[in-house]
Amino acid sequence: MTQQPLATIAALPRPDLRTIFESDPGRLERMTLSVGPLRFDWSKTHLTAEMLAAFGELANAQDFAGKRDQLFSGAKINNTEGRAAEHSAERGEGARESVASAKALHERMRALIDVIEAEGFGPVRHILHVGIGGSALGPDLLMDALGRDAGRYDVAIVSNVDGCALEEAVKRFDPQATLLAVASKTFTTTETMLNAASAIEWMTEGGVEDPYGKVIALTASPDKAIEWGVDETRILPFSETVGGRYSLWSSIGFPAAIGLGWDAFESLLEGAAAMDRHFRLAAPHENAPLIAAFVDQYYARVMGCETRGVFAYDERLRLLPSYLQQLEMESNGKCVRADGSAVDGHTAPITWGGVGTDAQHAVFQLLHQGTHIVPVEFLASKEPGHGFDPAHHRVLLTNCFAQGAALMRGRDNPADPARAYPGGRPSSTILLDDVTPEALGALIAFYEHRTFANAVLMGINPFDQFGVELGKEIAKSIETAGTSGFDPSTTALIELAMGNAE
Ligand code: F6P
């Protein structure tokens, strides 16, 4: 995309958010969309009907409809790696053969879960899932959001290579009653393989006779898993065309499938499939992920906002911001387009956020009075996730809605500038009927498609992540070659600190 369409949008009149509803009375109806259990409200952003129309033209110019067809038809849209991006096939939407193959692999997972539940692995109470990035963030989000009182298994998800993480997780586990799920698309990721090896050691020390017999591999590289020592019957494969950060729908979601129960896992997939159909079929002016991408593009690329804040006013969604950090920043944090040319201006904003109301007492000062304009997204659920006094949920929601209103409206105070609020600060709100598997499936799929739509508008390939490779390579060379060839600062750090890591 050249800067021209953005310059055209930038030249359009920008409304004053503080009075936007007075100057545009039908705004709320026009700028709210409900898709199943999810209601997306972008009426408190600067977007006007004219801007939306201009973004619609930009989407046409970028062949959004064509690219979307390619996504769902299994075309090789991940051009730098020569692969399709078929996460939607995992939930039943995509090329027929890919959907059939994903279904067969889900059935394989279900059959293995049946064996585990029938105590084919002996009594299992604990599931130790090791993986990192997309092989951990999704399962962690699902279990944290939905598994609080599932009570079926005690599930721990360990990602960091810092042994403290594994040590902490296994403290409460009985090695004899633990199943180890090794989750890695490539089955080569250093952190995961080291955690898996240490978990095997912990099981061995705990008297487990055949620890490898208690390993389930969740991977797109079955050969590597076999090489590592996992029996073929305990490998749950998924397709190479499912990207790591889009993989929670595949066997990477094993902890959720077993921990929440199969019905819940299926509802999650169905919720996502409904969002897939919406994204695929809805006209641009009614297409929630596409419009959300227009909002993102407006703030990141037209107004130059460098960050975007996501605040979940629901404890069950507290891991959503870190999940979205990988989804959005690993997908679109790039400086070249799919054709290799440089992108002008900023691409993905820095996604950050937290949980409300906690964040109000920590970072909201900057949102209200700081010099940065941060477009904020609020998330809330109509239903609470607990049985305490309904006052908890009432206070939670009133705070959420008050923040959006305060950011927008502001308050003048010429006599006391320290107590004045500039206002005019944008926010969008996603209101869920409840935090159910279906709603969470729809929500995550909404963000996936929004990320894709952003990429199409910028001409980026959102499905590769070469930016993470250089650091990995250098870490390996420190392992093998020590300090030679490094700058003095890096050399000094290695020499000073690594003696204790031998
Ligand atoms: O380092 C980035 C990354 O490749 C992510 O994209 C991925 O989710 C993560 O590492 C883990 O990779 P794997 O599932 O192959 O272990």
Side-chain angles (χ1 to χ4, degrees), residues 131-135 183-189 192 238 244-245 252 326 330 465 468-469 472:
I132 199 164
S135 294
S184 175
K185 180 174 176 184
T186 54
F187 231 76
T188 56
T189 303
T192 300
F238 63 96
R245 55 192 169 276
I252 292 292
Q326 187 199 21
E330 197 167 77
Q465 59 284 321
V468 302
E469 295 305 326
K472 287 186 195 172

Side-chain angles (χ1 to χ4, degrees), residues 165-229:
L166 183 61
E167 200 169 74
E168 174 69 24
V170 298
K171 249 185 218 160
R172 62 177 198 267
F173 281 9
D174 170 2
Q176 304 278 353
T178 298
L179 201 68
L180 173 61
V182 183
S184 175
K185 180 174 176 184
T186 54
F187 231 76
T188 56
T189 303
T190 309
E191 295 93 322
T192 300
M193 300 327 295
L194 191 49
N195 275 328
S198 296
I200 292 279
E201 205 178 299
W202 165 78
M203 287 163 110
T204 310
E205 281 166 10
V208 178
E209 267 177 31
D210 174 21
Y212 283 92
K214 296 277 188 80
V215 178
I216 309 282
L218 321 172
T219 187
S221 310
D223 294 351
K224 294 258 167 43
I226 291 171
E227 234 171 78
W228 190 78

Side-chain angles (χ1 to χ4, degrees), residues 21-33:
F21 287 101
E22 286 100 85
S23 55
D24 184 5
R27 189 171 173 85
L28 178 66
E29 288 69 42
R30 281 186 286 104
M31 301 209 173
T32 310
L33 273 173

Side-chain angles (χ1 to χ4, degrees), residues 287-411:
N287 196 310
L290 178 63
I291 290 173
F294 292 165
V295 173
D296 295 340
Q297 289 292 301
Y298 183 72
Y299 289 112
R301 310 237 324 132
V302 176
M303 283 191 66
C305 301
E306 294 196 334
T307 83
R308 127 185 162 78
V310 178
F311 294 93
Y313 275 67
D314 199 297
E315 197 66 17
R316 292 167 291 180
L317 298 178
R318 66 183 169 170
L319 298 185
L320 187 70
S322 44
Y323 179 82
L324 292 181
Q325 285 184 318
Q326 187 199 21
L327 177 63
E328 299 182 354
M329 293 160 72
E330 197 167 77
S331 296
N332 289 340
K334 293 166 185 167
C335 55
V336 291
R337 299 190 187 93
D339 64 8
S341 61
V343 189
D344 29 29
H346 285 307
T347 54
I350 296 157
T351 306
W352 64 288
V355 71
T357 59
D358 292 11
Q360 285 174 210
H361 300 273
V363 297
F364 272 41
Q365 163 64 38
L366 177 147
L367 298 181
H368 287 286
Q369 289 187 317
T371 52
H372 296 85
I373 300 298
V374 181
V376 171
E377 188 142 281
F378 294 104
L379 288 112
S381 158
K382 289 186 203 165
E383 294 295 328
H386 58 85
F388 282 111
D389 188 334
H392 283 275
H393 204 55
R394 210 169 48 242
V395 172
L396 185 69
L397 293 185
T398 51
N399 270 278
C400 176
F401 306 147
Q403 291 301 322
L407 285 167
M408 179 180 70
R409 198 187 298 167
R411 178 179 288 160

